[in-house]
Amino acid sequence: MCRVPEPAGQQESLPRAVTELVPAGLIHRMHQHVPAPGYGPGPDWLLRVPNLVRELLDTWGLTVSGAARHGYAALVLPVDGADRPAVLKVAWPHPEARDEHRTLRTWAGRGAVQLLAADPARWAVLIERLETRDLNGPPVGVLESCEEIGRLAAVLDRPAPPWLTMRASDHLERLVADIDALRSGEQAGTLPRRLLDRSRGLALELAAEPDIDAHLVHADLHQENVLWRPEPGEWVAIDPQAMAADPAWVVAPALWNRWADTVAAHDPRRHLNLRLEVLCEAAGVDPDRARAFAEVRIVRNAVWDVQEEVAGLADKLTRHITIIKAMQPA
């Protein structure tokens, strides 16, 4: 495995136009991410970002009005010049961001950040500016955060439009293939075989369901992806990873996040199931189906982490396995 350069070295190797614009955290992530087939590497995209931003500011008549921030794989800039305070988001091209502008247009600001303009060729969106507070900690309790996420999942629920490029059935079929490769490869034994066998069967069963791809789902609806809209005063979703899936697909990210609350719980299994049940009640989702989808989604994350030999792998696998076991029958 190639060693990822340290952040300081990453910045020194880039032009000043990049380092003065892009936060160090995003530079580091772009050197870590492995591009999907057909997509360019993060460091190459970083070199294009200054020109992309200049072109977008000019096209939309905007000026930067605050410090740059970043998401998991996107540069985020507060801007003025639109009809209201806005945010310019420029994403590193990757499959999960491909349908963001269409999804936000479909939701039209109801339960989600409002789209003001989009430039799909540059992987850019102009969106309303929200407050930066989220559901990831006090004063919002962990169960309250799950209730809000469940409420938003219900508001955002739509029939899956034909343009969606990511489908749960495809996702599950790839998981089965990756499990097979893991079990027969050099990393066999990294995850318990019984866990992989159970998840493989469950993934095949769920992928074969006739309505598995019937709904538009925010596949990354967790506590950090919900921000406060001051007028009229409500929580709304951001950063949609749009997927055609079952509504129960939405639950898993809310279990993975706010992990300190799980660690502090007297009984992590009960704590995680209580989170799930609160979210499902607010979303109108069957808890048993949510457990099944959460189990295969967390196994998906675990297999990815093993394949990529991510930093802190042992700790991440402990977290994954804790959630997986909590979702299984006692």
Side-chain angles (χ1 to χ4, degrees):
M1 179 181 176
C2 295
R3 186 173 181 271
V4 175
E6 294 299 320
Q10 294 163 0
Q11 290 183 275
E12 290 171 2
S13 67
L14 292 169
R16 181 178 296 180
V18 176
T19 58
E20 289 182 346
L21 176 65
V22 183
L26 183 57
I27 291 174
H28 184 53
R29 287 190 175 186
M30 289 298 97
H31 281 83
Q32 289 181 309
H33 288 332
V34 177
Y39 291 82
D44 289 354
W45 174 76
L46 286 172
L47 295 174
R48 298 197 305 272
V49 165
N51 283 336
L52 287 172
V53 169
R54 280 194 294 269
E55 291 167 1
L56 290 161
L57 294 176
D58 183 60
T59 298
W60 286 329
L62 306 171
T63 57
V64 177
S65 57
R69 295 180 286 114
H70 67 91
Y72 186 73
L75 176 68
V76 178
L77 293 167
V79 292
D80 290 331
D83 292 338
R84 66 174 90 176
V87 168
L88 174 63
K89 177 181 176 183
V90 187
W92 171 53
H94 59 287
E96 290 82 0
R98 186 186 305 160
D99 293 329
E100 179 172 2
H101 64 291
R102 296 188 185 96
T103 305
L104 291 178
R105 189 169 286 117
T106 297
W107 287 332
R110 185 168 181 265
V113 65
Q114 186 169 3
L115 178 71
L116 304 179
D119 189 329
R122 295 184 176 93
W123 295 76
V125 292
L126 185 67
I127 53 179
E128 69 171 307
R129 194 184 305 177
L130 303 168
E131 291 189 6
T132 56
R133 58 182 170 127
D134 56 27
L135 298 176
N136 205 39
V140 181
V142 64
L143 295 182
E144 181 185 351
S145 78
C146 292
E147 184 176 18
E148 290 291 348
I149 289 170
R151 180 189 63 79
L152 285 174
V155 171
L156 298 174
D157 188 18
R158 302 280 192 287
W163 44 257
L164 274 176
T165 54
M166 295 179 61
R167 293 176 174 79
S169 57
D170 296 335
H171 189 91
L172 294 169
E173 288 168 6
R174 286 194 297 270
L175 172 59
V176 170
D178 283 349
I179 287 174
D180 290 343
L182 179 62
R183 293 190 304 185
S184 61
E186 295 180 358
Q187 296 166 313
T190 310
L191 290 167
R193 187 174 185 89
R194 183 165 58 179
L195 179 152
L196 293 175
D197 288 346
R198 172 184 163 85
S199 297
R200 185 183 189 279
L202 187 56
L204 285 171
E205 179 183 333
L206 293 170
E209 292 186 351
D211 294 331
I212 181 65
D213 299 329
H215 293 255
L216 168 60
V217 170
H218 188 321
D220 199 28
L221 189 57
H222 58 75
Q223 284 86 346
E224 291 184 9
N225 274 348
V226 179
L227 299 183
W228 183 253
R229 175 185 281 157
E231 293 293 337
E234 59 185 355
W235 296 105
V236 296
I238 63 168
D239 291 347
Q241 286 187 12
M243 180 173 285
D246 185 283
W249 189 269
V250 77
V251 174
L255 307 180
W256 168 262
N257 283 271
R258 292 194 64 154
W259 190 246
D261 293 278
T262 302
V263 172
H266 175 69
D267 185 333
R269 178 187 179 89
R270 289 188 177 181
H271 171 83
L272 288 166
N273 275 280
L274 182 56
R275 282 202 208 189
L276 179 143
E277 289 162 7
V278 167
L279 195 159
C280 288
E281 182 175 358
V285 169
D286 177 73
D288 289 334
R289 286 187 63 75
R291 290 184 182 92
F293 281 108
E295 182 177 342
V296 294
R297 289 199 65 185
I298 300 301
V299 170
R300 167 75 282 178
N301 290 348
V303 171
W304 271 332
D305 285 348
V306 170
Q307 290 173 328
E308 297 175 11
E309 299 181 39
V310 297
L313 179 61
D315 289 341
K316 290 183 178 178
L317 291 184
T318 296
R319 184 188 301 195
H320 292 316
I321 291 172
T322 298
I323 300 173
I324 292 163
K325 288 183 175 179
M327 298 298 101
Q328 295 174 351

